[in-house]
Amino acid sequence: MTSPVAAAEAALAADRAHADPAMWITRLSDAAILDRARALAAEGPRGRPLWGVPFAVKDNIDIAGLPTTAACQGFAYVPDTTAPVVQRLLDAGALLIGKTNLDQFATGLSGVRSPYGTPRNVFDPRRVPGGSSSGSAVAVAAGIVRFALATDTAGSGRVPAMFGNIVGLKPTLGSVSALGVVPACQSIETVSVFAATVDEALSVLRVIAGYDAADPYARPPPYPHLRRAAAPPGARIAAIDARPLCDPEVAEVYASAAAHLDAETIDIAPLLAIGRLLYDGPWVAERTAALREVVERRLEILHPVTRAILESGFARRAVDAFDAFHAVAAARRQAAELFARYDALLLPTAPSTPTLAELETDPIAPNSRLGTYTTFVNLCDLAGFAVPAGFAANGLPVGVTLVGPAWSEGRLAPLADALHRARLSRVGATRMPLPPGGAPDPLGRDETALFCVGAHMSGLPLNGALTRRGGRFLGEAATASCYRLYALGNRPGLVHAERGAAISGEVWALPTAALGALLAETQAPLGFGPVQLEDGPCLGFLSEAAGVAGAPEITEIGGWRAYLAGAGAAPSDRAAATTT
């Protein structure tokens, strides 16, 4: 474990070496940072999970005693209270370095709409850094801080992650307190996290997440959604054809990542169309409403592009807003149907990395294009990890995003981490190797281990009955050699027998409170009972002995997944086994 003082000195040295004043709006003094590091060192870890870890905060989030500008000098104020999301980090021992630059009022995805300058793209100074959370992403990509807080309304916590070759975690709406955050589109935005790795981002989210009754958009999680799963062997990943909307070099890297995951190509045109409403719908008016006093009385303090966007909000009609709300409701239903079939959707994080010159020529269209694959994620109430996927032929990093339904962060984490590590081995633009990856969290006191042998396993039709209740994959397993397996049409029946064999399956952690509902929908002759695994007892799916009478025995095949692969099933049996 690195001492807080050593971590602070390393952060300051990296900041001096990077030498980008446009990255910060307010950077604490060297003396203040080192004094706090020494105090943390004297206190010791005290069980604090982020003890001495340097971090940065996007300057639309309040920290007591430091100005909050939202990249607008005329708007600046000094808050008396620290936003709960930052206070949780400080209480966890994290070491604040400063507040970072952003597209003014978090309006933009390019990072160039700030009177404080444009943070330098760490790979090519002629390119945009991405926004609106530009400074936060650059601080992580340059190796100055280990993580940084951002906000994500339309992709601001993901697009800059691609350009910096780092991880961007977009949490579930309402899972992190928004108090003390200057709002943009409060109904769809969330505080987000940039970090070097998926597991580091997840560890930060575990600290900052929590229901805040004072936040009108807060909602309690339906289950412990931040417990990390293992990567399931049968994960079903959906992908798209990125060639029509992406630059060729981005589409090529994306296709390679999709092939690595053995993803199935689908059409998501309706979802992409809904995403465009974020720039041409009522959410523009929501931005205007959030800053009504500024737009009505102090237009002169705004960046010209920000001003034009916010002024346009007054022209939006309520009748059109309801059309948009209904369309988004339909899109959310489509997304739910998609995630009933797939564990995750793989997307390009952005279709290109535009140049600064392109944004000077046209400040609107290239910026809007950056949100091609991000905006619908916010409108459809989804969560996701943006991770590095490799480098294009032009030397620029390319990122992909694994998206899942709300509250899926813990299940997405192992998939995203495995993909990141398969594609790259260094952090951001540094030479630092990726630290070791995480492991699945142990079984919680409020969880029960459940051994699955049939259609509830990963990638099979009934797996959603586990995941929608908070089930998470722990690992593959096999029974002791005292069971027999039978094919009951679309599911197997596992029966204890004195003379049997080891049967393969999977162990899932399921919230104990959800067991009753799962059992209630389990059809006879199946039920729950004690199953003896090779390494000990476990609750599992069992069949009544009478229920398998006359059914084909498939014990010798060794498991249901092998049976579905065709080791002994007739075509009609295999087709039936994939239906509910």
Side-chain angles (χ1 to χ4, degrees), residues 372-465:
T372 299
Y373 301 108
T374 56
T375 51
F376 82 85
V377 172
N378 298 75
L379 291 172
C380 290
D381 189 23
L382 307 177
F385 284 93
V387 298
F391 284 83
N394 60 8
L396 296 175
V398 175
V400 297
T401 301
L402 273 167
V403 175
W407 313 111
S408 64
E409 291 93 324
R411 290 190 289 109
L412 290 174
L415 299 171
D417 183 61
L419 180 60
H420 182 189
R421 293 176 185 281
R423 310 291 296 179
L424 289 169
S425 60
R426 64 172 179 168
V427 175
T430 74
R431 297 183 180 276
M432 294 187 296
L434 292 180
D441 288 318
L443 195 70
R445 292 183 179 181
D446 54 354
E447 293 178 310
T448 297
L450 183 67
F451 180 66
C452 303
V453 292
H456 287 88
M457 293 192 296
S458 61
L460 298 183
L462 297 184
N463 184 244

Side-chain angles (χ1 to χ4, degrees), residues 249-271:
E249 58 268 22
V250 172
E252 181 179 2
V253 175
Y254 169 78
S256 176
H260 176 81
L261 293 174
D262 194 24
E264 178 182 344
T265 301
I266 65 171
D267 181 14
I268 62 165
L271 295 179

Side-chain angles (χ1 to χ4, degrees), residues 208-528:
I208 64 176
Y211 177 72
D212 185 347
D215 177 357
Y217 284 95
R219 48 184 177 163
Y223 44 77
H225 68 296
L226 297 180
R227 290 178 185 167
R228 191 191 197 277
R236 303 158 299 177
I237 310 297
I240 64 170
D241 181 359
R243 291 172 296 179
L245 298 178
C246 286
D247 284 1
E249 58 268 22
V250 172
E252 181 179 2
V253 175
Y254 169 78
S256 176
H260 176 81
L261 293 174
D262 194 24
E264 178 182 344
T265 301
I266 65 171
D267 181 14
I268 62 165
L271 295 179
L272 298 181
I274 284 295
R276 291 192 284 273
L277 284 176
L278 200 53
Y279 295 130
D280 189 26
W283 292 274
V284 177
E286 185 178 7
R287 289 182 182 270
T288 306
L291 295 163
R292 178 188 293 267
E293 187 273 335
V294 172
V295 182
E296 288 183 332
R297 301 181 182 178
R298 296 190 287 162
L299 276 174
E300 73 280 356
I301 72 174
L302 294 173
H303 185 282
V305 178
T306 309
R307 173 177 174 168
I309 292 169
L310 294 178
E311 282 187 299
S312 72
F314 287 122
R316 307 292 164 170
R317 301 190 306 170
V319 65
D320 295 328
F322 281 100
D323 286 342
F325 297 154
H326 299 328
V328 167
R332 290 189 176 194
R333 182 69 56 83
Q334 292 173 332
E337 293 171 354
L338 187 157
F339 291 114
R341 302 192 305 273
Y342 299 99
D343 296 295
L345 171 63
L346 183 73
L347 297 166
T349 300
S352 67
T353 306
T355 65
L356 296 172
E358 288 178 81
L359 269 297
E360 289 177 3
T361 301
D362 181 353
I364 301 296
N367 181 90
S368 298
R369 186 184 178 216
L370 291 176
T372 299
Y373 301 108
T374 56
T375 51
F376 82 85
V377 172
N378 298 75
L379 291 172
C380 290
D381 189 23
L382 307 177
F385 284 93
V387 298
F391 284 83
N394 60 8
L396 296 175
V398 175
V400 297
T401 301
L402 273 167
V403 175
W407 313 111
S408 64
E409 291 93 324
R411 290 190 289 109
L412 290 174
L415 299 171
D417 183 61
L419 180 60
H420 182 189
R421 293 176 185 281
R423 310 291 296 179
L424 289 169
S425 60
R426 64 172 179 168
V427 175
T430 74
R431 297 183 180 276
M432 294 187 296
L434 292 180
D441 288 318
L443 195 70
R445 292 183 179 181
D446 54 354
E447 293 178 310
T448 297
L450 183 67
F451 180 66
C452 303
V453 292
H456 287 88
M457 293 192 296
S458 61
L460 298 183
L462 297 184
N463 184 244
L466 304 182
T467 58
R468 70 171 178 264
R469 294 185 169 99
R472 58 190 181 93
F473 177 70
L474 294 182
E476 296 179 285
T479 68
S481 299
C482 53
Y483 291 90
R484 292 187 176 277
L485 193 66
Y486 298 83
L488 306 177
N490 64 348
R491 53 195 173 146
L494 183 70
V495 178
H496 184 270
E498 290 187 6
R499 295 183 179 181
I503 304 298
S504 63
E506 298 175 354
V507 177
W508 284 72
L510 191 71
T512 303
L515 282 173
L518 180 63
L519 179 59
E521 68 183 29
T522 300
Q523 299 177 6
L526 302 186
F528 294 163

Side-chain angles (χ1 to χ4, degrees), residues 67-133:
T68 297
T69 71
C72 181
Q73 296 101 321
F75 176 82
Y77 62 92
V78 179
D80 296 324
T81 304
T82 296
V85 66
V86 178
Q87 191 60 54
R88 284 174 174 258
L89 295 172
L90 297 174
D91 293 344
L95 178 63
L96 178 67
I97 303 300
K99 302 189 74 177
T100 55
N101 201 356
L102 63 150
D103 281 315
Q104 191 175 78
F105 291 114
T107 301
L109 287 172
S110 60
V112 304
R113 299 173 179 174
S114 172
Y116 293 90
T118 299
R120 189 171 67 248
N121 183 303
V122 293
F123 289 95
D124 184 347
R126 298 168 299 179
R127 305 276 176 163
V128 302
S132 63
S133 312

Side-chain angles (χ1 to χ4, degrees), residues 54-72:
F55 77 106
V57 175
K58 185 176 181 178
D59 194 26
N60 60 344
I61 305 174
D62 287 349
I63 300 175
L66 297 179
T68 297
T69 71
C72 181

